[in-house]
Amino acid sequence: MRNVVPICLALAAAAPAAAQSTFHGNVARTGVYEGSGPAKAPATKWAFKTGGPIVGSPVVAAGVVYVASLDTYLYAIERDTGKEKWRFKSRMPIASTPAIGDELLYFVSSTGALAAIEIATGQPKWVFAAEYEKKFEAKNLHGYPPAAQSIPDAWDVFISSPAIANGKVYFGSGDGNVYAVDAKTGLLQWKFPTKDVVHASPAVAGGTVYVGSWDSALYALDAETGQLRWTFEAGQDPAIHNQVGFQSSPAVVDGTVYVGCRDAHVYAIDAATGRKKWDYPTSKSWVIGTPAVRDGTVYVGTSDTARVMALDAKTGRLKFNFSAKAYVFSSAAIAGKLVYVGNHAGRLFAIDAKTGELAWEFKTDAAKRDPFKVVADDGSLNQQAFAPLFNDFQDMYLDFSRYASVGAIMSSPVVDSGVLFVGSMDGNLHALE
């Protein structure tokens, strides 16, 4: 069954593409931004309130910030003032990051459709519908009862964010396919089937598309034809499906693909051959965020162990550990001397890229209020607040709402002209300077 996204759009303005106008900074997904972000504890330049949690990341182009929300809208906001320019209505929540190229904005919605919008006119250019969209699901997921019921994973938070390259738009889908469509017309160029949901965002480098699937395989595909170049197999967990699958998107730097996996490893893989160079185990802790890579160092966060790690890009040797005290799904961003990353407790950290020392910390207003006492005094999660209520898989979704109550930061920060932009699950887009 094919789905169509209804279009509701107000006024729009032209916004040519910029380097940061896609998820994690560029189509290689390196997470590196030009210039520096706030070096000291920042002031809030403005905060823009949406009607639902923000889990995707903002992008910036030509003085406009674009961000999607689970309230079903994609917003265009003036960079300097925080005033809304227009909003785009989708039929379902938007959990992906938009991409901008050649005066078109592309995003993937939870209907399974890729939409292209003419930024200059505010009119839809085309909509491409995948076969369907769904969350990753499995029986006995994470050991939750009932064992015979197929359970959708509440922690399958993000939808694949599009990458624009070679005149094509590449994205993954819950139908298990990786798609390439013509950027101007929306016509299908090729699709490649995997064995499960694809919600990681493709990276494109050297004529190759790199993308992971929830089947725990990372695929290298010819960007022009979609033909398979190689496959890298990560861990499996057929019993409870906890330590399995790629949510992390790959980052490609100097001929190496860096990627995290829910099998509790960070991998470095030869981009040409698919051969593993090294892997770093994370003590059964998921690696959801996309690695940020610069100057021979890989920065990435973990879930249960609540760390932000700096790894040597050549050897995988640990350089430092930063304790985030709560789960990290946010993908780190590097600008100047600092690494910026958020956590589930509604904190944004600025970490010295060399030493791992904390430069400053920002709390969302929701985290300061903390109405359900989700966060302990030391910034860690208050486990008493997460006591099971249903004693089955529904507790996952209850926990999701608890994180929303403190404005958890699952979004990846973006730095533009000294200002840092990041979304939070209390529905706010923050501009910090």
Side-chain angles (χ1 to χ4, degrees):
M1 180 177 180
R2 293 186 175 271
N3 299 297
V4 178
V5 179
I7 309 297
C8 293
L9 199 60
L11 297 177
Q20 65 268 42
S21 302
T22 189
F23 171 65
H24 222 220
N26 48 63
V27 293
R29 311 299 192 196
T30 64
V32 178
Y33 295 87
E34 294 182 0
S36 299
K40 298 180 180 180
T44 298
K45 183 179 177 71
W46 51 258
F48 180 89
K49 179 71 171 177
T50 74
I54 297 173
V55 296
S57 304
V59 297
V60 186
V64 181
V65 185
Y66 303 89
V67 71
S69 172
L70 297 187
D71 68 0
T72 74
Y73 287 96
L74 189 146
Y75 296 87
I77 304 156
E78 291 182 358
R79 179 198 177 281
D80 292 332
T81 66
K83 293 182 179 179
E84 180 179 320
K85 292 177 66 67
W86 52 257
R87 63 175 66 184
F88 178 102
K89 169 68 174 170
S90 177
R91 190 152 54 92
M92 290 188 68
I94 310 172
S96 69
T97 300
I100 297 173
D102 293 333
E103 298 186 357
L104 291 178
L105 179 147
Y106 307 86
F107 79 96
V108 182
S109 85
S110 298
T111 63
L114 172 71
I117 307 165
E118 291 183 347
I119 298 178
T121 64
Q123 298 300 313
K125 179 75 170 180
W126 49 258
V127 176
F128 173 85
E131 294 179 18
Y132 56 86
E133 182 54 70
K134 71 170 187 177
K135 286 184 177 290
F136 171 69
E137 60 183 39
K139 294 181 178 179
N140 204 32
L141 180 68
H142 309 319
Y144 284 114
Q149 182 172 350
S150 185
I151 299 169
D153 195 340
W155 307 122
D156 181 7
V157 175
F158 309 104
I159 300 293
S160 182
S161 300
I164 309 166
N166 313 308
K168 299 177 180 62
V169 185
Y170 305 94
F171 71 101
S173 172
D175 65 13
N177 290 302
V178 181
Y179 289 92
V181 302
D182 185 274
K184 292 183 178 180
T185 65
L187 294 176
L188 178 66
Q189 302 300 292
W190 53 259
K191 71 176 181 178
F192 178 87
T194 75
K195 298 176 182 178
D196 215 319
V197 168
V198 183
H199 281 163
S201 302
V204 186
T208 304
V209 177
Y210 303 92
V211 64
S213 168
W214 224 289
D215 62 10
S216 248
L218 182 75
Y219 297 90
L221 310 174
D222 184 279
E224 187 63 29
T225 66
Q227 291 185 333
L228 179 66
R229 290 184 167 171
W230 52 256
T231 303
F232 174 82
E233 299 287 347
Q236 296 288 342
D237 183 4
I240 62 171
H241 312 280
N242 180 276
Q243 302 278 291
V244 64
F246 284 101
Q247 284 176 278
S248 172
S249 303
V252 188
V253 179
D254 295 334
T256 302
V257 180
Y258 301 94
V259 66
C261 188
R262 285 220 319 193
D263 74 350
H265 287 81
V266 180
Y267 292 102
I269 303 162
D270 186 275
T273 66
R275 178 183 59 84
K276 184 176 72 175
K277 293 185 174 182
W278 54 258
D279 70 85
Y280 185 89
T282 59
S283 304
K284 302 291 184 181
S285 189
W286 297 344
V287 183
I288 305 299
T290 299
V293 187
R294 192 188 71 181
D295 297 335
T297 304
V298 180
Y299 304 91
V300 68
T302 64
S303 60
D304 293 61
T305 54
R307 298 185 294 170
V308 179
M309 305 179 299
L311 305 174
D312 186 277
K314 290 186 177 180
T315 66
R317 178 181 59 84
L318 181 67
K319 291 186 172 182
F320 68 72
N321 263 331
F322 174 85
S323 176
K325 298 183 179 180
Y327 305 144
V328 178
F329 280 20
S330 172
S331 298
I334 310 170
K337 297 180 180 180
L338 298 177
V339 176
Y340 303 97
V341 66
N343 76 357
H344 279 34
R347 271 68 169 172
L348 178 75
F349 302 106
I351 306 165
D352 187 286
K354 293 293 185 183
T355 68
E357 296 295 321
L358 178 66
W360 54 260
E361 174 184 323
F362 167 81
K363 294 182 185 179
T364 64
D365 287 342
K368 294 175 183 177
R369 293 191 301 269
D370 193 7
F372 304 113
K373 306 304 178 185
V374 170
V375 183
D377 291 340
D378 66 353
S380 64
L381 297 176
N382 179 10
Q383 295 304 318
Q384 293 181 344
F386 291 86
L389 179 63
F390 299 104
N391 291 300
D392 64 10
F393 70 92
Q394 296 177 92
D395 285 325
M396 275 192 296
Y397 290 89
L398 181 59
D399 288 348
F400 189 89
S401 69
R402 288 166 173 152
Y403 292 125
S405 75
V406 293
I409 296 176
M410 299 188 187
S411 174
S412 178
V414 170
V415 175
D416 180 76
S417 300
V419 182
L420 185 149
F421 302 93
V422 69
S424 54
M425 286 186 66
D426 57 3
N428 283 302
L429 175 67
H430 308 270
L432 307 176
E433 64 176 357

